[in-house]
Amino acid sequence: MKVKKLEINIEEYTDFEELPDEYKKLLKDAGEATESSYAPYSEFHVGASVLLENGVVIKGSNQENSAYPSGLCAERVALFYAKSKYPDVAVKAIAITAKSEHFVVNKPITPCGSCRQVIAETESRQDGKIKIIMAGQKSNILVVEGIESLLPLVFQEDSLKKK
Ligand code: THU
């Protein structure tokens, strides 16, 4: 038996102004996307913005439902819309943030497991890795390059192939 150790690089920015301009803009877009969130149950408003290789930015927000599991996270709303509107265009980056009516979100929003799986699928369909930029309302900002950093040992399509 041997133990494998994984190393993950996470960029951490304590100041929004330190961010490269491209991330700043994308995070602002994610912040704007929180405005269209439909979250009467959690009252937690998440916004995601997806930057495509052709320069287009697609925004999405969480959409809840009285039958709770029927709702969808902001990241998947944005990614699914991007893939349905621009099926052949690669995703360069996704930024995520959130706000609440009841407290200041002081931790970066990291995608849930299902959204990580969808980011992984998106990445597997293209050449480049996806940058994931995660922020709260008043928080440090985390950036990782590629879903492998958030979802090690990911289940992917190649496992379905009979060899
Ligand atoms: N949510 C997102 O939209 N993205 C995440 O990364 C985490 C959670 C949503 C789902 C639900 O509408 C609300 O936040 C509370 O979980």
Side-chain angles (χ1 to χ4, degrees):
M1 192 273 271
K2 55 182 183 184
V3 175
K4 283 188 180 177
K5 289 201 175 155
L6 302 174
E7 205 173 78
I8 296 172
N9 290 326
I10 305 175
E11 290 173 19
E12 181 168 24
Y13 298 84
T14 47
D15 180 4
F16 178 81
E17 292 308 321
E18 261 185 71
L19 280 173
D21 288 344
E22 199 178 42
Y23 301 168
K24 275 190 201 159
K25 158 98 179 53
L26 206 57
L27 255 185
K28 280 189 183 155
D29 289 331
E32 281 172 25
T34 61
E35 301 295 326
S36 66
S37 153
Y38 174 66
Y41 306 104
S42 71
E43 299 181 329
F44 190 71
H45 304 278
V46 186
S49 54
V50 169
L51 173 64
L52 300 179
E53 206 148 61
N54 62 6
V56 169
V57 173
I58 305 284
K59 296 183 208 168
S61 54
N62 55 331
Q63 301 296 317
E64 297 184 347
N65 194 284
S66 55
Y68 288 6
S70 301
L72 202 61
C73 293
E75 295 92 320
R76 275 176 289 162
V77 169
L79 284 167
F80 288 155
Y81 182 70
K83 271 290 168 207
S84 50
K85 186 138 169 77
Y86 299 96
D88 301 321
V89 183
V91 171
K92 276 179 74 180
I94 181 168
I96 309 149
T97 190
K99 68 178 182 194
S100 162
E101 285 145 39
H102 306 289
F103 59 94
V104 175
V105 179
N106 60 11
K107 281 201 329 191
I109 300 303
T110 54
C112 78
S114 297
C115 290
R116 290 177 198 210
Q117 192 66 37
V118 169
I119 297 169
E121 184 84 15
T122 307
E123 209 175 76
S124 75
R125 291 166 65 186
Q126 63 184 46
D127 282 335
K129 291 187 170 183
I130 299 175
K131 261 197 176 112
I132 305 164
I133 303 149
M134 298 158 280
Q137 271 175 301
K138 232 181 170 198
S139 75
N140 53 355
I141 298 156
L142 305 180
V143 180
V144 296
E145 169 103 40
I147 193 60
E148 187 72 18
S149 301
L150 296 183
L151 193 59
L153 307 181
V154 59
F155 179 83
Q156 269 177 334
E157 174 258 349
D158 54 358
S159 306
L160 296 173
K161 285 192 185 132
K162 289 185 192 140
K163 300 219 170 82

